Structure formats: structure tokens, C-alpha cells
Amino acid sequence: MSAKGIKEEIRSFIAIDLPLNFLEAIGRLQDELKIATKGVRWVRRGNIHLTLKFLGDIREELLGELGEILATTCKAHAPFELSIGRAGGFPNIDRPQVIWLGLMGDLEKLESLRQGIEKGCSSLGLTREKRPFHPHLTMGRIRNWRNVPVNLATLLNEVEAAPSGRFSVRAVHLYRSDLTRDGAVYTKLKSFPLKQEK
């Protein structure tokens, strides 16, 4: 609580982390695209993650209940595997505002986990996400289209999956996000393991 007695709100989100070797490979891909593109604000590789739910500003006193719900939900879902697919863009690849990498693998298990989290958050009065879930990793955002090459869509279509192989999802994480002049700073508040394999 602040000195004025106002309870703090925390900008936060729920996400899945990537292994370091995957982040490093995505970073190398970003470096290659930087050479051919301008006008893109690239996400720092350490900030790349798979968002399951963006919570926005939530009251600090909800964190305890939210943690209990996430712990229970995650224990009901077994670990699964994902891999990284092709590059794309929102709202479309011809004139994207967001450049991303898609995900493949056990997407049904991922969606089941996400829906469980969505249901749990809804029980706390948090707003349900109405948009369809498109699992992706945000690599960059377009700042100024005047500096973006006209062949950006071609470049993205030519991007191969990076990196290859699969990674295991064994936990979900609750993050705090603080906006600064140098970009967002993410702080991991707590981790919630998925069902332990016997």
C-alpha cells in the first residue's frame, strides 16, 4: 500500500518461458532480419516468451488468490512439448504491426492449459480474453512504416523455423511488467509447475 493508502496495481501477465538455447537462436534470427529491415523495434531476446494471458493492471491483493488458482490449474495439466514454426505478422504478413514466430507441437494441450487459466482468472473477476488464441512469440513491432522495406512480407516468408527441435513445457510463470524509457522490464513473481510425472 502506498503512503496515501492507495493499494498498488501491478501490470502483469502469465507466460511460458523458452530455454536459453532457443532464445539465443531467435536472437540470431533477429540479428539477420535487422540487417535487411529498418523501422522495427525488436524485442530483447531475454524478454521473448509465450503469453498465455495478459492481465493488465491488477490489484496487488489479488496476487495471493491468483497464485492459488494457477498452482491448482497447473497441477491438473501434464507437461508437453512445443516447437517453433514460421514467421508471420499481425494483423497480416503484408503490412504487419507485430512480427512473430508461430508455435507447433502439442497445441491441444497448450490450449487446454490456457483455457484452464482463463477460467480461473475469470473466477476472480478478471476480464476474459475474447480474441482467438494464436500461440506466438513476438520478435518485433513496427515503429514507422516509412522505414520498412516493401519486401518485408517476402523476407518473413523466407524465414526458416528457428531454432529446430522441441522444448518441454513444465511450468507456467507469473510476471510483473514495468514500463520504462528503455522498454519493458519483466520480473518473475512466481512459478507454477505442471503435473509431476511419476
Side-chain angles (χ1 to χ4, degrees), residues 98-134:
V98 175
I99 298 172
W100 47 259
L101 286 172
L103 287 159
M104 304 183 298
D106 296 327
L107 297 183
E108 288 185 3
K109 293 180 179 179
L110 171 63
E111 175 62 11
S112 177
L113 172 62
R114 188 199 68 83
Q115 287 184 7
I117 290 173
E118 192 72 56
K119 181 178 179 181
C121 289
S122 179
S123 72
L124 290 178
L126 299 173
T127 304
R128 270 186 175 271
E129 179 58 66
K130 297 179 180 179
R131 294 172 299 181
F133 179 57
H134 297 289

Side-chain angles (χ1 to χ4, degrees), residues 13-14 55 63 66 173-176 187-190 192:
F13 60 90
I14 300 164
L55 299 167
L63 292 180
L66 177 60
H173 312 281
L174 175 63
Y175 277 93
R176 174 177 182 145
T187 304
K188 189 180 293 184
L189 299 178
K190 196 164 185 181
F192 306 93

Side-chain angles (χ1 to χ4, degrees), residues 180-195:
T180 72
R181 290 182 179 180
D182 298 323
V185 176
Y186 300 150
T187 304
K188 189 180 293 184
L189 299 178
K190 196 164 185 181
S191 297
F192 306 93
L194 300 187
K195 183 190 299 182

Side-chain angles (χ1 to χ4, degrees), residues 114-184:
R114 188 199 68 83
Q115 287 184 7
I117 290 173
E118 192 72 56
K119 181 178 179 181
C121 289
S122 179
S123 72
L124 290 178
L126 299 173
T127 304
R128 270 186 175 271
E129 179 58 66
K130 297 179 180 179
R131 294 172 299 181
F133 179 57
H134 297 289
H136 67 279
L137 308 170
T138 298
M139 287 199 298
R141 295 177 175 84
I142 306 298
R143 291 182 295 184
N144 187 340
W145 261 98
R146 288 178 297 180
N147 297 325
V148 176
V150 293
N151 64 336
L152 177 60
T154 302
L155 290 172
L156 294 179
N157 278 320
E158 291 175 351
V159 169
E160 297 296 329
S164 59
R166 289 189 164 208
F167 62 93
S168 295
V169 177
R170 298 184 176 276
V172 167
H173 312 281
L174 175 63
Y175 277 93
R176 174 177 182 145
S177 174
D178 292 295
L179 302 179
T180 72
R181 290 182 179 180
D182 298 323

